[in-house]
Amino acid sequence: MDIHVIEKKWVKKWKDAKIFESEVGSRKKFFATFPYPYVNLSPHVGHAYSAIRNDMVIRFYRMLGYNTLFPFGFHATGEPIVGAAKRVKKGEESQIKAFEKAGIKKEEIEKFKDPEFIVKYFVNEWVKDMGEFGLAVDWRRSFYTTSLNQEYNAFVTWQFNKLKEKGLLVKGTHPVIYCPECDSACGSHDRKEGEDATIEEYVLLKFKLGDEHLIAATLRPETVFGQTNLWVNPDTSYVRIKVGKEEWVVSEIAYEKLKWQQKDLEKLGNVKGSTLIGRYAKAPMIKKEIIILPGLFVNPNVGTGIVTSVPSDAPFDYIALKMLQRDENLCKKYGLDIEEIKKIKPIPIIKTEELGEFSAEKACNDYKIKSLNQKDLLEKATKHVYKIGFHKGVMNKNCGKYAGKKVELVKDKVSEEMIKNNEAGLLHEMSEPVVCRCLTNCVIKILENQWFIKYSDEIWKKKTLKCLNDMRVLPEEARNVMKNMIIKMKDKACARKSGLGTPLPCDPKCNIECLSDSTIYMSYYIIQKHVHNKEVSVKNMKPEFFDYVLLKKGEPRIVAKKTGLSEELIKQLKKEFEYWYPVDLRNSGKDLLTNHLIFFLYNHTAFWPEKYWPKAIGANGWVTVDGMKMSKSKGNFVTLRDAINKYGNDASRLAFMDTGEGISDADFSTKAALSFKNKLVSIIERVEMLKDVKGKDKDVLDEWLLSKVQKRIKNTTIALKDYLNRTALKDSFHGLLNDVNYYYDKKKNLNTETLNYFWSVFSRLNVPFIPHTCEEVNELLGSKEFVHNLKYPVFDKKLVNESVEENVELLKDINYDVKNIIKLVGKKPKNITLIISPAWKYDFFKEFKKAFEKKKDVKELINLFMKQEEYKKNSKQIIGLINALVKDLSKLPDKVTNQKEEFEAFNKNKKFIEEEFNSEVIIVKAEDSKNLKAQTAIPGKPGILIE
RNA sequence: GCGGGGGUGGCAGAGCCUGGUCAAAUGCGCAGGACUUAAGAUCCUGUGGGUUAGUCCCUGCGAGGGUUCGAAUCCCUUCCCCCGCACCA
C-alpha cells in the first residue's frame, strides 16, 4: 500500500468538492488565520508548523459544526527579495547557489534579477507545496502584498490615510545605526561586526568656560548634584567646534560622531588638553564653578573625552581624585596647588542601604581597589554601584527639588530639565563598534522628519491592553510577554527607503515597512475572494469602498456610484465582513509575539469597535530537526516538499504535533516521522482486515474498550479547545491505539460491532491530526460522506464503566506480579493461587485513610485501632501496616472496595489469567487459606502462590 | 541591564499552580520475544541503579539549606542554560 497515493487521492477529492471554500451562512463561524509567510524561499518544515496548528483547529471546529475559514496570504514587503535580486544581478555566487539549491535551473536564474519574478515564482511554489500538503485552506483568498498587487496596495494606502486622519501617524526624529557608504540604516543582518550593538544615550553636559562650553558626556545625569571637578586628558588634542550659536570643546573623535547627529557643525580649531587644566568651568544644574583636573584615564574615544567627576558615586572618579591628592609631582606639573586639591571631598547625593551615601568609596574598599591600574575591578565596581544606586537609591538633601525621590524615577527628569534649560544635549553612542557588510564603519545618524506610528499613545495603549486582557492567549505565559511589550511600546518608524512595499501616502518616496503593512489584512481576505472572482478591482477601490465594507460608513447608493460597483455587491461584501469578523484565532510563531501580534492588536483597536477585536491568539515555538536548529550547513534543512515526499502529509503532521506544544520548541524527528508513516499504513491495513472479523460475543474487554474510548474523546476535546496538539494526540492517537492493541491482544474472538465503533470514533477523532488517513478509514468503514462532514465524536457518559476499567487494571497488575514471580521461580507454573485479602483489611484501610487525615502520629494511630476489638486479634499485622503506611502513604491502595466484590471480580475474570499463563488459577479468600502468603494479601493486591 | 521561560531517564518531553495514591505519561532510541523462508513493518515484554521465593528495598528530579509525618512539587540561597529588547522578516 502506498500512503502517498492515498493522500493524493484525498487532496484531490477535497479540492474537487471544494470543501474548504467557505461562504457566509447561518451557522456559527470560526475564522482562524496565521501570519502570512515571507516568500523569498520555498516552504520548509518550520513554516509548516504554525500552518498545521491553525489547520488542526480549523478541522476541529469544522467537525464541531462551525462554518470555518482558513485563508492563506503571502508577504513580499521589505528588503530581502530586492536584495536577493540585486545579488543575482551582481552575479554573487552564494546567492545563485542558494537559488540553485532550491531547485531552480541554471538557465532560469537570469529571471531572478527581477524582484517581481521572485515574488511570483515563490508564491507559486508555496501554493503548490501547501496545496499538496492538503491544508484546509480557501485558496481563492490568497494574495501577495506590496505595490505589485494594486488591490492590496489600495487597501494599505487606505489604511494609512485612516491612521493619519486619526492622528496616529506622526512625524518625528530618531537615531539609527547608519552606514555612510550605503547611505542607509544598517540593521543587524546587514552587519559584518557588531550584530548585537545597541544605541546608548549619553547626556552631554555643558560647562561654561568663558565663551566656550566644555562638553562632558555621562550615562548618569542624576549624579550632577555630586560634581566636584572635571577630568580632561592633558595629552589629548581637543577641538573647538561651532554648534549653532555655541562653541563647544570636545575630542576629535566626538566631533566626528556629532557630525551625524547635529546640524550646522563647524570646526574652529584645536585645543590641547593640558591648556585647560587648572581652570574653572561652570557646572550645569548646580551652577557652581568647578576645577578642571588632569585625568590620564580619560579615553577620548568614549563620549566626548571630557568627564565630569562625581567621586561620591563613581569609582573611577573617586580613585582618580585620591591618587591625584597624593601625587605632588603631577600637581606641580600642571601648576596645581595640592592643598586646594586635597580640599575636594565627595559630595553625598544618593543613599542606599547596601552602600550608604559614599557608594564609590565603599565599593572601592570592598573590591580592594587602590589604583586606576585595576581597570577590570573598577569597571566591576562601577557596574555594581550603578545597579544598586539606580534601582534602590534615593536622592538626598543635596539634590534640590529631587531630594527624597527614587533614583530610577528622577534620572530622566534631571536630564530633561537640563536640556530644557540649555545646560545639556544628547549624544548617541553604539555599545560596540559596528562594521557594515560593505566593510565601512557605521555611525549613529539622527534621522529627521520620519513617519511614525504612534504606538506610545496612552489612550491607544490602554485600549490595546484591554483588548489583550479580554482575549484568550494560549499558552497563557504569552500574555505576559505581550502585556509587558505593550506597556513598553514606543512609536514605530514605519517608512523605508529601500525594499518592496506600498508607498506611504504622505511621503510616497518611502515604502511602508514590513511590520506595518500587515496589521489588519485579515479583513482583506474577505475582499480578496471578490478580486479573485474578478468582481472588484483596483479601480473600484476608492476610500469610500473600504469605509463602507469594513467600517459601515456611507450610503450604499452613493458608495455604489462612487466605486462603480453594484449596490448589491457592496452590500454583500459588507455582510461578509460582518459575518467573518472578528478573527477567532490567530496562531503564530512565538517570534512575532513582541512585534507583529502587538501591532495586530493595536491596529484592530484603532479601526474597529470592541465587537470586532480579535478573540484569541495562539503561539508556538520554533522547529528544530532531530534536536538541532535547522540550517543548510548542518545538512538538516528539511523543506516541506522533502517531508511530503519522504513521510507523506499525515506522518509529517504527526511528527510536528506529537513533539511540540505551547511556546517551547518543537522537534521534527525524522525517525519519528518514518515510524508514524509505518503506523498509519498499519492502521489502514487493520481496518481493511475488519471484513474478516465476525465475532459476536461481548465480554469485559468490549465494555472496557468502549469505556476507555469515552475518556479519550473527552480528553481530546478538552485539549483541542486549548490548542494543545500534543496533549490531544496523547489520547486521540497513542491512547486509542494502545487501548485497541490491548483489545486485539487479549480478546479471543474479536467483536465486529466493537471494532467498527472503535474505528469510527478513531477516524473522526483524529481528523485534526491525520485527515487523509481518517478519510481512508472512514471510507473503508463504508461511509459515503467525507469524514470532514461528519460530527466530531461526543463523550458518552453512559458507556463509561468505572468498575470494568478497574477490574482490567487489577488484572494487568496481577499479571505483572505473577509474571515477576514466575521469573524468580524459574519454572512453569501448574497452579496459580490468588489469595484475596481478609475481610477486615478492607475496613482497616478505609478507616486508616480517614484517621490519618486527622492524626499523623504513629502511636496515636496504633492506640486508636487497638481500642477496637475486631482489630485487636490482628494487632501484629496492624502495627506493621500502620508503621509502613505512615512512612510511605503510597502503599495505601488506590481504591478500597470490599472482599466480596474483589473475590467476584477475580472469579469472573480468571479466564484471562489462565489464558495468559496457560495454567489453572485458584482463587481463595484469606480466611480459607492456611498458607503464609495469606498474610501478605491486601485489598487490590492478593497474595500469590505459584505451584 | 530589563523582561519572559527553563534545568526531570540514552533523547524529546509530562508531572510543579492545587505536597501524599508519582517518580517518570507519551513518543523516539535500545534489548528480548511473537509473526515471517527471511528482512522490514506490526504486535508483545523490558528499559535510572541495586537486590530478590515473592508482588520488594535503596537511591535518584541542577546544587545547598528550610518548612512538613511526608517535597520534583511550597520557602530561602546559589549555579547554569535559552529567548525577546524594534527597523530584522
Side-chain angles (χ1 to χ4, degrees):
Chain A
M1 175 191 325
D2 189 345
I3 199 90
H4 297 92
V5 174
I6 294 172
E7 288 180 345
K8 281 206 175 89
K9 173 180 84 183
W10 287 108
V11 170
K12 184 167 186 309
K13 285 195 180 194
W14 293 334
K15 199 177 168 193
D16 292 346
K18 301 183 177 180
I19 69 168
F20 300 125
E21 293 190 1
S22 313
E23 298 294 347
V24 290
S26 53
R27 279 178 300 155
K28 288 173 294 182
K29 59 91 192 180
F30 191 85
F31 179 27
T33 66
F34 89 118
Y36 44 27
Y38 188 71
V39 282
N40 62 338
L41 277 176
S42 300
H44 57 68
V45 288
H47 292 119
Y49 184 44
S50 300
I52 292 172
R53 294 232 318 153
N54 213 48
D55 185 83
M56 166 188 90
V57 180
I58 282 283
R59 292 186 206 255
F60 173 60
Y61 273 90
R62 186 191 163 93
M63 288 182 72
L64 289 183
Y66 286 79
N67 190 11
T68 55
L69 174 58
F70 179 9
F72 201 124
F74 300 99
H75 202 199
T77 310
E79 177 58 35
I81 289 173
V82 179
K86 263 190 204 156
R87 286 194 290 276
V88 174
K89 225 175 198 168
K90 272 200 218 157
E92 251 180 53
E93 244 345 86
S94 59
Q95 181 63 60
I96 292 173
K97 274 216 174 106
F99 276 143
E100 280 176 3
K101 241 188 174 167
I104 293 151
K105 291 188 200 101
K106 258 205 168 78
E107 56 270 28
E108 296 270 297
I109 291 285
E110 188 69 10
K111 296 180 187 160
F112 286 72
K113 288 178 182 170
D114 175 14
E116 182 166 1
F117 182 82
I118 297 182
V119 173
K120 287 184 174 160
Y121 178 85
F122 283 114
V123 164
N124 195 33
E125 289 293 296
W126 272 80
V127 173
K128 211 161 73 191
D129 289 0
M130 285 291 171
E132 207 168 300
F133 198 46
L135 290 185
V137 166
D138 183 349
W139 290 107
R140 299 171 303 165
R141 299 175 189 270
S142 298
F143 63 86
Y144 50 85
T145 65
T146 77
S147 53
L148 298 175
N149 174 353
Q150 282 300 302
E151 282 76 21
Y152 186 73
N153 201 59
F155 170 70
V156 173
T157 306
W158 169 80
Q159 179 190 348
F160 273 76
N161 280 327
K162 274 272 166 290
L163 282 174
K164 183 116 187 291
E165 271 172 39
K166 290 171 193 286
L168 299 174
L169 192 60
V170 294
K171 263 189 171 180
T173 297
H174 77 133
V176 291
I177 294 178
Y178 180 84
C179 172
E181 180 64 30
C182 305
D183 187 24
S184 70
C186 186
S188 55
H189 292 279
D190 305 322
R191 298 177 199 164
K192 189 161 188 298
E193 276 170 43
E195 273 192 40
D196 298 326
T198 53
I199 297 176
E200 285 170 344
E201 197 179 85
Y202 281 82
V203 174
L204 296 181
L205 301 172
K206 301 181 187 176
F207 292 79
K208 202 155 185 334
L209 181 68
D211 294 333
E212 300 167 350
H213 290 92
L214 294 191
I215 306 296
T218 179
L219 289 167
R220 298 199 63 186
E222 75 279 15
T223 62
V224 288
F225 296 101
Q227 299 177 99
T228 56
N229 60 287
L230 277 165
W231 298 113
V232 162
N233 193 326
D235 300 335
T236 294
S237 171
Y238 293 85
V239 293
R240 220 168 60 238
I241 53 175
K242 195 160 188 268
V243 181
K245 287 178 187 157
E246 293 174 352
E247 278 181 33
W248 290 9
V249 175
V250 296
S251 70
E252 182 90 45
I253 290 162
Y255 166 59
E256 293 300 324
K257 289 184 261 190
L258 279 168
K259 274 203 270 189
W260 295 99
Q261 301 182 24
Q262 293 273 349
K263 273 188 286 190
D264 307 326
L265 231 55
E266 192 187 331
K267 187 171 164 181
L268 301 172
N270 294 318
V271 184
K272 187 98 180 89
S274 53
T275 64
L276 299 165
I277 309 294
R279 300 172 68 184
Y280 281 78
K282 194 173 174 192
M285 185 62 89
I286 54 174
K287 302 189 173 50
K288 234 165 64 184
E289 298 280 341
I290 59 173
I291 189 166
I292 303 165
L293 295 177
L296 291 159
F297 67 98
V298 173
N299 182 349
N301 297 334
V302 177
T304 55
I306 298 173
V307 175
T308 187
S309 172
V310 185
S312 56
D313 287 80
F316 271 102
D317 298 342
Y318 173 74
I319 291 292
L321 185 64
K322 290 267 279 200
M323 283 177 77
L324 186 65
Q325 287 170 341
R326 287 196 303 261
D327 195 337
E328 221 158 312
N329 288 338
L330 193 68
C331 289
K332 224 179 242 168
K333 185 176 170 190
Y334 294 105
L336 299 166
D337 177 359
I338 193 158
E339 292 312 316
E340 281 301 308
I341 306 292
K342 279 184 178 166
K343 282 184 193 157
I344 299 175
K345 294 272 178 290
I347 302 164
I349 48 170
I350 290 167
K351 191 176 176 182
T352 63
E353 244 172 65
E354 284 94 332
L355 298 171
E357 283 195 317
F358 295 95
S359 55
E361 183 179 356
K362 172 122 180 27
C364 288
N365 289 337
D366 290 352
Y367 283 90
K368 300 194 171 53
I369 300 167
K370 293 261 166 354
S371 147
L372 284 169
N373 294 333
Q374 295 158 285
K375 214 178 152 201
D376 290 351
L377 280 179
L378 272 166
E379 269 165 17
K380 265 190 197 159
T382 302
K383 258 191 175 169
H384 183 66
V385 168
Y386 177 76
K387 193 176 164 184
I388 304 283
F390 180 71
H391 292 288
K392 299 182 182 170
V394 175
M395 313 287 285
N396 76 6
K397 60 180 190 321
N398 291 328
C399 303
K401 64 179 174 195
Y402 298 102
K405 295 197 170 136
K406 281 187 171 176
V407 174
E408 34 182 7
L409 300 178
V410 303
K411 183 179 172 175
D412 290 342
K413 298 253 159 60
V414 174
S415 57
E416 275 165 30
E417 182 186 334
M418 289 189 291
I419 290 169
K420 205 176 122 206
N421 295 337
N422 199 27
E423 289 181 311
L426 289 176
L427 173 72
H428 298 278
E429 282 254 59
M430 290 174 283
S431 58
E432 53 182 295
V434 172
V435 179
C436 176
R437 270 191 188 164
C438 74
L439 304 179
T440 311
N441 289 322
C442 291
V443 295
I444 292 183
K445 185 178 179 179
I446 307 287
L447 299 179
E448 298 191 318
N449 290 328
Q450 298 290 300
W451 288 96
F452 288 83
I453 301 178
K454 203 178 167 191
Y455 291 131
S456 67
D457 187 280
E458 284 306 322
I459 297 166
W460 199 6
K461 215 171 244 204
K462 253 193 195 147
K463 256 165 106 176
T464 308
L465 282 168
K466 179 173 183 350
C467 171
L468 178 70
N469 186 55
D470 293 348
M471 75 196 300
R472 289 188 84 193
V473 181
L474 294 152
E476 189 58 38
E477 66 250 36
R479 190 192 301 276
N480 264 334
V481 176
M482 294 182 70
K483 188 175 161 195
N484 289 330
M485 189 64 199
I486 294 174
I487 291 169
K488 272 204 312 211
M489 278 300 281
K490 290 187 255 171
D491 294 349
K492 174 158 180 68
C494 63
R496 293 288 178 276
K497 273 191 184 150
S498 61
L500 298 175
T502 295
L504 190 65
C506 45
D507 185 2
K509 288 190 300 298
C510 290
N511 279 339
I512 295 161
E513 63 84 45
C514 59
L515 286 164
S516 302
D517 79 341
S518 54
T519 56
I520 57 166
Y521 70 92
M522 310 79 212
S523 62
Y524 185 76
Y525 285 126
I526 294 157
I527 295 169
Q528 171 61 24
K529 189 191 85 180
H530 298 275
V531 176
H532 172 91
N533 290 346
K534 304 224 178 333
E535 296 161 324
V536 177
S537 75
V538 64
K539 66 179 191 296
N540 310 115
M541 289 178 164
K542 308 278 187 272
E544 290 82 358
F545 170 77
F546 296 111
D547 281 347
Y548 179 75
V549 173
L550 302 177
L551 303 179
K552 304 187 192 184
K553 281 188 185 146
E555 277 296 312
R557 200 170 45 80
I558 299 165
V559 174
K561 204 171 166 197
K562 193 101 192 179
T563 59
L565 296 168
S566 72
E567 234 181 287
E568 204 186 344
L569 182 60
I570 58 165
K571 275 186 180 161
Q572 172 67 17
L573 272 152
K574 176 166 162 280
K575 191 177 137 197
E576 289 181 12
F577 171 79
E578 282 166 13
Y579 178 74
W580 290 116
Y581 245 62
V583 174
D584 293 289
L585 168 67
R586 185 154 180 86
N587 191 75
S588 145
K590 65 177 172 187
D591 48 326
L592 302 184
L593 232 31
T594 51
N595 46 54
H596 163 73
L597 289 173
I598 302 269
F599 307 146
F600 160 68
L601 297 188
Y602 258 102
N603 281 277
H604 273 80
T605 67
F607 277 81
W608 287 291
E610 254 183 86
K611 186 178 154 194
Y612 293 130
W613 292 359
K615 289 277 175 271
I617 278 177
N620 53 256
W622 306 106
V623 173
T624 57
V625 171
D626 290 328
M628 281 190 300
K629 223 172 155 183
M630 208 171 17
S631 87
K632 280 171 187 157
S633 57
K634 279 187 199 132
N636 65 341
F637 196 87
V638 184
T639 63
L640 178 61
R641 179 143 298 279
D642 292 338
I644 295 173
N645 290 343
K646 236 184 185 152
Y647 315 109
N649 295 355
D650 282 348
S652 301
R653 291 171 69 103
L654 280 177
F656 284 116
M657 290 195 277
D658 195 39
T659 167
E661 185 168 88
I663 213 160
S664 56
D665 293 347
D667 184 48
F668 185 91
S669 156
T670 51
K671 274 186 177 159
L674 213 55
S675 131
F676 281 129
K677 183 180 169 183
N678 291 327
K679 208 161 258 185
L680 294 176
V681 171
S682 87
I683 285 171
I684 294 173
E685 281 171 352
R686 271 193 196 182
V687 178
E688 279 176 340
M689 308 253 271
L690 266 187
K691 59 183 188 296
D692 302 326
V693 171
K694 298 276 193 307
K696 290 226 163 18
D697 72 300
K698 285 192 181 174
D699 59 20
V700 168
L701 283 172
D702 296 86
E703 279 183 72
W704 172 81
L705 185 62
L706 259 46
S707 181
K708 282 298 250 192
V709 165
Q710 300 319 310
K711 295 202 169 156
R712 303 296 185 192
I713 294 172
K714 193 175 172 188
N715 291 342
T716 304
T717 310
I718 291 171
L720 275 177
K721 288 206 165 147
D722 286 342
Y723 317 134
L724 297 174
N725 42 285
R726 187 185 181 138
T727 308
L729 270 179
K730 199 185 123 196
D731 279 286
S732 78
F733 189 77
H734 303 298
L736 279 182
L737 287 180
N738 282 344
D739 296 341
V740 83
N741 282 342
Y742 187 75
Y743 179 83
Y744 272 96
D745 192 38
K746 302 293 177 207
K747 179 88 178 173
K748 276 277 126 59
N749 192 10
L750 296 173
N751 181 291
T752 326
E753 199 184 322
T754 302
L755 280 175
N756 269 308
Y757 172 78
F758 174 86
W759 288 112
S760 158
V761 171
F762 181 90
S763 68
R764 284 175 290 136
L765 202 65
N766 282 292
V767 166
F769 317 108
I770 44 171
H772 314 73
T773 309
C774 288
E775 287 288 7
E776 186 71 13
V777 168
N778 177 59
E779 190 182 58
L780 286 170
L781 291 174
S783 168
K784 295 275 177 271
E785 186 66 77
F786 282 116
V787 74
H788 284 80
N789 291 340
L790 303 179
K791 284 269 167 286
Y792 208 65
V794 177
F795 172 70
D796 185 352
K797 206 176 167 188
K798 289 197 298 294
L799 292 175
V800 175
N801 191 332
E802 294 288 354
S803 77
V804 162
E805 282 192 45
E806 275 157 25
N807 284 345
V808 171
E809 287 310 311
L810 211 55
L811 274 175
K812 283 186 179 173
D813 288 349
I814 288 293
N815 277 347
Y816 179 84
D817 292 344
V818 171
K819 202 179 293 164
N820 270 331
I821 296 165
I822 291 173
K823 212 161 90 187
L824 288 167
V825 176
K827 60 170 187 184
K828 268 203 147 184
K830 275 184 222 137
N831 286 324
I832 299 166
T833 310
L834 301 181
I835 305 162
I836 307 296
S837 167
W840 66 264
K841 276 192 190 169
Y842 294 86
D843 299 331
F844 167 74
F845 275 111
K846 278 181 202 160
E847 281 180 45
F848 179 84
K849 211 170 190 172
K850 268 187 217 153
F852 188 77
E853 275 161 25
K854 287 180 203 144
K855 284 180 188 147
K856 315 280 186 191
D857 187 73
V858 179
K859 271 184 192 159
E860 277 185 65
L861 284 164
I862 292 173
N863 285 338
L864 183 79
F865 282 99
M866 284 308 105
K867 266 187 223 151
Q868 302 178 47
E869 273 311 310
E870 47 176 318
Y871 292 126
K872 250 186 191 164
K873 51 186 177 237
N874 294 306
S875 57
K876 253 193 186 165
Q877 278 200 52
I878 297 242
I879 292 167
L881 280 169
I882 291 176
N883 271 310
L885 284 171
V886 168
K887 207 172 145 204
D888 181 3
L889 202 70
S890 73
K891 291 193 176 56
L892 198 66
D894 299 7
K895 193 162 178 189
V896 185
T897 54
N898 60 59
Q899 194 193 35
K900 187 167 169 268
E901 210 173 290
E902 196 173 322
F903 184 73
E904 278 169 9
F906 272 111
N907 268 310
K908 198 171 155 194
N909 297 320
K910 78 174 183 186
K911 67 162 182 172
F912 293 111
I913 306 171
E914 289 177 334
E915 280 163 9
E916 182 81 24
F917 298 102
N918 212 359
S919 57
E920 198 186 334
V921 172
I922 303 156
I923 293 163
V924 293
K925 292 179 183 166
E927 286 88 343
D928 303 331
S929 171
K930 298 235 159 49
N931 196 292
L932 268 174
K933 298 279 168 252
Q935 284 207 4
T936 65
I938 58 169
K941 266 194 179 301
I944 300 167
L945 191 63
I946 310 275
E947 284 158 321

